[in-house]
């Protein structure tokens, strides 16, 4: 556990990513932060929402909307976190070498999380699986996102594993 999910949740201002020990992310998770769209503005204010979150699984085209309410924020975030964890973890992989997965442990298609809120910045983040020595798939994914073509437009944040006793 490197603390990556905790940092991403703080950056997003909403807890969307599971914070657990071990490798959680088995696929790219794209977080899109967006100012509130005009089409959502009326319901946003009428329902007194903090944010509207859309989850789109590009592997099977599953889409789901979540709403964060002031009085139920922790509960609402927990529902989203469980949904993201289910689709971003190894639980998602049903058969080895399922379509879209080159390696039985990973899925290459993105899980896209879009969070809209008043005063939200316009920004995209991609959370990639951590590198491990048991598979080449995470390295291939990193190369797909960070390469000569994309590097001038990419901010890379690298997390190193913290071991007890490290300072």
């Amino acid at each position: 556990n490197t603390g990556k999910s905790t940092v991403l949740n703080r950056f997003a201002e909403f807890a969307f990513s599971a914070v657990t020990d071990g490798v959680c992310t088995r696929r790219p998770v794209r977080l899109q932060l967006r100012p509130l769209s005009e089409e959502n503005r009326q319901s946003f204010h009428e329902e007194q929402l903090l944010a509207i979150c859309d989850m789109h699984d590009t592997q099977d085209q599953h889409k789901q909307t979540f709403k964060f309410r002031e009085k139920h924020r922790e509960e609402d975030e927990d529902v989203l976190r469980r949904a993201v964890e289910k689709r971003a973890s190894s639980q998602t992989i049903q058969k080895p070498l399922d379509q879209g997965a080159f390696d039985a442990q990973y899925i290459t298609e993105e899980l896209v999380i879009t969070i809209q809120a008043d005063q939200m910045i316009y920004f995209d983040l991609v959370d990639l699986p951590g590198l491990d020595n048991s598979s080449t798939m995470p390295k291939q994914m990193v190369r797909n996102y960070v390469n000569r073509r994309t590097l001038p437009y990419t901010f890379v944040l690298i997390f190193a594993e913290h071991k007890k006793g490290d300072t």
Side-chain angles (χ1 to χ4, degrees):
N1 184 1
T2 62
K4 181 173 61 170
S5 295
T6 300
V7 171
L8 293 175
N9 286 340
R10 294 252 171 96
F11 189 83
E13 298 181 28
F14 295 94
F16 73 96
S17 186
V19 178
T20 61
D21 289 332
V23 177
C24 301
T25 307
R26 296 289 182 178
R27 69 187 303 176
V29 177
R30 179 177 296 275
L31 172 65
Q32 298 177 320
L33 304 177
R34 300 290 185 265
L36 193 59
S37 68
E38 285 303 316
E39 65 192 48
N40 286 328
R41 192 165 298 282
Q42 184 175 348
S43 65
F44 184 87
H45 292 293
E46 286 173 359
E47 297 177 50
Q48 298 178 338
L49 300 175
L50 294 171
I52 297 172
C53 176
D54 293 309
M55 179 176 70
H56 176 214
D57 189 330
T58 61
Q59 182 185 29
D60 64 5
Q61 301 309 311
H62 172 82
K63 293 182 181 182
Q64 192 171 353
T65 297
F66 303 84
K67 295 179 179 182
F68 296 134
R69 304 161 292 171
E70 182 76 49
K71 292 182 180 178
H72 304 282
R73 180 176 179 150
E74 286 184 31
E75 177 184 326
D76 295 339
E77 288 177 336
D78 193 48
V79 170
L80 172 63
R81 246 191 327 268
R82 283 194 311 264
V84 170
E85 183 177 348
K86 180 180 177 189
R87 292 197 165 265
S89 72
S90 56
Q91 299 171 22
T92 310
I93 302 162
Q94 300 177 1
K95 293 184 253 175
L97 300 176
D98 197 1
Q99 187 174 14
F102 297 112
D103 185 296
Q105 298 179 44
Y106 297 95
I107 297 173
T108 57
E109 285 87 357
E110 290 182 351
L111 180 64
V112 181
I113 310 297
T114 305
I115 299 177
Q116 292 184 42
D118 262 341
Q119 307 300 314
M120 181 63 79
I121 62 171
Y122 190 102
F123 196 77
D124 283 15
L125 298 164
V126 178
D127 180 11
L128 296 172
L131 301 177
D132 71 46
N133 293 324
S134 65
S135 172
T136 60
M137 181 52 63
K139 291 175 187 168
Q140 291 172 357
M141 281 190 222
V142 168
R143 287 185 190 111
N144 286 340
Y145 285 90
V146 182
N147 55 53
R148 193 174 293 170
R149 187 180 96 279
T150 63
L151 199 54
Y153 311 102
T154 304
F155 173 79
V156 178
L157 186 57
I158 298 173
F159 289 81
E161 182 177 8
H162 175 77
K163 295 182 180 161
K164 198 171 188 169
D166 287 350
T167 56

